[in-house]
Amino acid sequence: MSADTPTDTVTSTAADVLTDVQQVPGSPKPDPMLTADGIIRRFGGLTAVDVRHLEIQRGVITALIGPNGAGKTTFFNLMTGFDTPDEGTWNFDGVAMGKLPAHQVARNGMVRTFQLTKALSRLSVIENMKLGAGHQKGENLFRGLVKPIWGAQEREIEARADALLDRFKLAHMREEFAGTLSGGQRKLLEMARALMTDPSLIMLDEPMAGVNPALTQSLLGHVKSLRDEGRTVVFVEHDMDVVRDISDWVVVMAEGSIIAEGPHEAIGANQTVIDAYLGTSHDAPLDLGEIDVEGAS
Amino acid sequence: MALLLGFWSGTAAAQDDEPGFRGTLTATPEEGDRFPVEGVRVVLTADGAEVGEATSGADGTWFIAAEAGSYNVAVDTSTFAEGISLKDPEATSRDLELSPGQSRNVLFALIEGEGGAAPNVKSDLERIPGLVKDGLIFGLIIAMSSIGLSLIFGTTGLTNFAHGELVTFGAVTALGLNKAGLHILLAGLIAVPLTAAVGAGNEVGLWRPLRRRGSGLIAMLVISIGLSILARYLVLYFVGGRRETYNQFALQTDGYDLLGFRIVNREIWIIIISMTVLLAVAFAVNKTKTGKAMRAVADNRDLAESSGIDVERVILTIWIAGAGLAGLGGILFGLNQGVSWNMGFELLLLMFAAVTLGGLGTAYGPLLGSLVVGLFINLSTLIVSSEIKNVGALLILGVILLVRPQGILGRGERIG
Amino acid sequence: MDWGSILAETVNKFFGVQAAYFALAAIGLNIHFGYTGLLNFGHAGFMAIGAYGLAISLQNGVPLLLAVLIGLLAATAFALLLGAPTLRLRADYLAIVTIAAAEIARILFRATEIAGFNTREYTGGSTGINGFADPFKDLNPYTGSVDLWFVSFSRNDAWTVTVGWALVLLSVLFVHLAMRSPWGRVLKAVREDEDAARALGKNAYSIKMQSLVLGGLFGALGGMIFVLGQSSVQPTPQDLGAPKTFFIWVAVILGGTGKLWGPVIGSMIFSALLQFTDLTLRGFQEEGIIPTWFMDGVQVGQVRFILMGLGLMLLMAFRPQGIFGDKRELALDVR
């Protein structure tokens, strides 16, 4: 898939549903997939996340941006069950997520990737992929001992994995240890592996970070294709070109709160956002950003 | 404190592979530490015929080589020193089996005074002040030994299972100097810097290169266990398996009777030294530039590095200071309970309990945790028999992990 | 020095009781550390609990198979107890708690009374339990010592060795079946990165607990073969304490972690290696090549521990993938 393909038309149709949405923090969406209310997370004296209200529209690509230390990764962690907020409730596709552990969140269809990719180094690429599939009969120890029970399902999973490897251009690495992949290939693998779970909402934490420019375009294409096949995408990104290129809606966080929402054209002109970037990224709470980086490792 | 000796004493016999019967005769006085009993004849008989005998040495140990078979082991009560008797006057001998190649420990419980009477006539309530004193002293020793363990974890992420061997090294080095004629205080003054140097050697010769190579924390943890075994058995190889005491303060009974308990000079020294050192450490960590840098690195290594702190240097400082403190802790531990090749490993598990309890990686956590562990161990003897009192301290470790894994003073940790 | 007999005894150790029970325990530890990444430093605790469970049951007239089952159930309970507080936490907490729990178990087995309850009646206190193995020995089909062309065992040892290695083979088959399944894949995923597994909907806590229990069962089996072989169970460190745990660790790492036959081969080599150094050193000493002021009889016994510590360090630093490392894995920079 080339980046020059006129995907703009698709972008505009998907974004069309958002044209009437108010461009203010916490604005209601026509068909929210994820709704968060009063999410607060403190570390010691620091309030890392304080999100009053947020709705993520179904079937579009939402970018989550903000200066270092804005609390984006922490917010991801909270939504996906990897961290627990001090206060707040959220529901995903109508299901309350508050008390669910991370693996349950994933089984409900909200799947995330990590800022620092987590390739399972000593498993082969195909094993990485097959791991992603849900509802595997053979994942029970006793049933696992008897191959006839899970063999057929395993073949289906493998076929699905191979198709995805083809799509993500990793088929030639099929039998290699995932640890031997390059940084960009790991990003691709992680995205493909997440797709094996057949998620309805996929949360990508800096999918382009550390990827060489040659791969960036193909990654962007893949992200857009996720939306085009009906999935909802939320991603954290620092590169404004990327945000401009693929996002239908942008949510801006600073110092833990949401300070602006809107399509990228409007965000670029928003004075609060400019202040947040220019004002704080140089002075104040750089430290939280450092924690962010560490927290993801 | 009297009873601490020999709780993991099974371990102390580990090195003795030679088949036969062995033991250490110690007597429990009404007040104070157990002490070794010398010159007691132990007789081994098989089918009514005497097949071997031994006389307990200055450290109370005896050994009779024997092949596999059924034996009777007896102590000759007529060889007891004045004032020593069997705790149970009837228990002069025991019938025992020896399997091939087995080395078997035989215990005879001796007491100072007349046997047969209840060994401790104090009521539980009356025992409390003494136990609190013992607990606080033990807590101070654990605290001093474990500061390095906690800070090394905080700065490098290394769970150092070889930390206990620094404790042993301090105690054993001081013992060697002491036996060579130096007063223990002087021996300690030399042994502590030597231990600090060993700590520096650890860091420079092993851990820093491993970090540079990018070794993972789990690999390093396993390596530290290997190092711990290596060091422990090297000490055993060169020093031997006996528990020894320093020439000074060994059987000291001079002291003062305070409100309901007796404190001996040795204990007063331990308290003064450890309190002074701990206060100095607190001051250093809080007020000095190096101390602040240490805390910054322990708090967030990357941030500290980016704000211009020489992290490697801080880590080296922590190793030097932490090892020196561990060595000093070892000397005080040795003063209190004798020096043995695996004393550090005995203490290690309690240090882990203390450090986890207080909050792994913090500077003050170990102090608080150590006092809790010290007190808990000693006070628990009010309820459980003292042979299993360490069990309690390790059990609370489990409970703490369930309830508050970050420790009393620790902060929540970020995941993801 | 009689190299012939040293060699013969070394070869014997390759296949002896020790290699067999080491292998069983090591298979368990390999499930923990090799496949799941769990830092279990209390494996001797599992062995002790299996051993005491068996011995106490047999002593009280329980039939052999039921006694084995009781030992296994006790080990399961031990694993659940250890796992509950630690498996949600960072990996090193498990290391601390397991090493402590194994020591607790040993102290309790050695104790004479616990909270007023006379436990020595059952555990034998510091003398342990002797001569409980008759129900096992009665099943011995051999009528005399067994001499094959390269090994020879006494009648008792031959029976223990037979049962031990049979169990090892069954265990290897079991591990093979388990690890090729999707279940095994989840286990390995948790070893590589627990958070990634959770993000894909895998219940890391549950799978780690299953691994802890399963590996503990093999540890318990190893402990049983050990004490049946010497028909005595003793709460000493060298029998069922921390040193034993470390021996098993070296065996696992020597053979290669996360490899099917790794723990078995590691155990055989390590047992033989220990015997060989012991005999050679003693030989040198008798010949006067090593002067006694440098090393006496007792010290020879300590050398094995020194070598074990050094071996563990060097292996973990330079060949964490074992002596028969996989080249692909070597290139991977996995640590």
Side-chain angles (χ1 to χ4, degrees), chain B residues 185-259:
Chain B
L185 292 179
L186 198 58
L189 277 180
I190 300 174
V192 169
L194 280 178
T195 317
V198 169
N202 257 289
E203 159 68 5
V204 176
L206 180 64
W207 302 114
R208 185 181 290 172
L210 282 174
R211 284 200 304 274
R212 294 243 164 95
R213 279 183 46 193
S215 284
L217 290 178
I218 287 181
M220 294 214 274
L221 188 154
V222 179
I223 290 172
S224 84
I225 288 193
L227 177 62
S228 150
I229 304 168
L230 174 67
R232 190 154 71 247
Y233 284 93
L234 278 176
V235 170
L236 174 63
Y237 186 97
F238 289 112
V239 179
R242 279 185 297 277
R243 190 176 282 264
E244 298 191 49
T245 48
Y246 295 117
N247 286 337
Q248 291 80 26
F249 302 111
L251 297 175
Q252 189 177 332
T253 45
D254 299 344
Y256 306 93
D257 282 310
L258 299 177
L259 301 162

Side-chain angles (χ1 to χ4, degrees), chain A residues 274-289:
Chain A
I274 293 166
D275 286 349
Y277 267 89
L278 296 182
T280 57
S281 65
H282 298 292
D283 314 319
L286 258 173
D287 52 342
L288 253 187

Side-chain angles (χ1 to χ4, degrees), chain A residues 15-53:
Chain A
D16 275 350
V17 292
L18 294 166
T19 43
D20 296 332
V21 171
Q22 276 186 294
Q23 297 175 7
V24 295
S27 64
K29 310 288 183 311
D31 182 10
M33 176 126 226
L34 177 69
T35 311
D37 276 296
I39 306 285
I40 294 181
R41 177 68 170 111
R42 297 185 196 90
F43 292 111
L46 282 170
T47 303
V49 166
D50 181 3
V51 170
R52 298 274 152 69
H53 184 78

Side-chain angles (χ1 to χ4, degrees), chain C:
Chain C
M1 214 153 84
D2 184 0
W3 287 104
S5 83
I6 290 183
L7 200 67
E9 290 195 46
T10 303
V11 170
N12 236 27
K13 281 279 174 181
F14 260 107
F15 306 97
V17 178
Q18 177 174 288
Y21 87 80
F22 264 34
L24 274 174
I27 286 170
L29 188 62
N30 192 38
I31 294 175
H32 289 155
F33 181 67
Y35 288 109
T36 326
L38 298 178
L39 290 169
N40 169 19
F41 281 102
H43 210 46
F46 287 103
M47 297 172 75
I49 285 184
Y52 268 95
L54 175 82
I56 294 172
S57 306
L58 287 180
Q59 194 77 333
N60 288 283
V62 176
L64 183 62
L65 282 180
L66 190 59
V68 171
L69 197 67
I70 290 173
L72 292 178
L73 282 177
T76 306
F78 188 60
L80 295 174
L81 209 63
L82 287 182
T86 51
L87 290 180
R88 285 185 209 279
L89 307 174
R90 238 187 8 237
D92 39 2
Y93 282 113
L94 184 68
I96 297 172
V97 167
T98 46
I99 201 170
E103 201 58 26
I104 290 180
R106 200 174 61 77
I107 293 175
L108 291 183
F109 283 132
R110 207 182 56 195
T112 48
E113 55 107 16
I114 298 165
F117 183 71
N118 180 0
T119 52
R120 189 161 63 186
E121 230 170 89
Y122 298 94
T123 61
S126 57
T127 44
I129 309 171
N130 298 297
F132 55 84
D134 289 345
F136 175 73
K137 287 180 178 167
D138 290 346
L139 298 173
N140 192 343
Y142 297 108
T143 46
S145 64
V146 174
D147 284 290
L148 300 175
W149 64 272
F150 57 101
V151 285
S152 62
F153 295 114
S154 68
R155 178 172 180 256
N156 271 337
D157 279 0
W159 176 227
T160 317
V161 163
T162 309
V163 174
W165 285 113
L167 281 174
V168 168
L169 291 179
L170 283 176
S171 306
V172 168
L173 176 67
F174 177 89
V175 172
H176 166 70
L177 291 177
M179 292 310 158
R180 71 168 184 181
S181 76
W183 182 82
R185 187 158 62 213
V186 179
L187 219 60
K188 290 177 234 170
V190 165
R191 170 191 71 195
E192 295 299 308
D193 194 315
E194 188 182 331
D195 285 337
R198 290 160 73 205
L200 293 170
K202 312 301 173 194
N203 188 343
Y205 178 72
S206 158
I207 205 97
K208 284 198 282 184
M209 189 67 101
Q210 292 171 34
S211 163
L212 191 63
V213 171
L214 190 64
L217 291 179
F218 288 108
L221 274 181
M224 291 180 198
I225 292 298
F226 170 47
V227 297
L228 284 175
Q230 64 179 32
S231 61
S232 145
V233 53
Q234 306 240 338
T236 57
Q238 68 266 44
D239 268 14
L240 293 167
K244 178 90 358 129
T245 298
F246 301 143
F247 275 123
I248 307 294
W249 264 87
V250 176
V252 169
I253 295 175
L254 199 65
T257 56
K259 295 187 174 62
L260 186 62
W261 289 98
V264 180
I265 293 168
S267 298
M268 295 169 80
I269 294 178
F270 191 45
S271 296
L273 214 58
L274 283 175
Q275 179 77 351
F276 180 76
T277 45
D278 243 38
L279 291 175
T280 313
L281 286 175
R282 285 190 202 286
F284 281 152
Q285 212 175 44
E286 279 158 23
E287 306 265 305
I289 300 171
I290 299 177
T292 41
W293 60 260
F294 184 72
M295 191 186 290
D296 61 28
V298 174
Q299 283 173 320
V300 168
Q302 294 157 4
V303 170
R304 60 166 60 193
F305 291 95
I306 295 172
L307 291 178
M308 171 175 75
L310 196 62
L312 194 57
M313 286 177 75
L314 293 177
L315 275 173
M316 212 57 203
F318 296 108
R319 294 207 56 105
Q321 73 284 27
I323 44 175
F324 310 111
D326 180 328
K327 272 213 178 104
R328 281 199 309 168
E329 237 175 299
L330 250 175
L332 240 187
D333 200 26
V334 201
R335 289 163 294 250

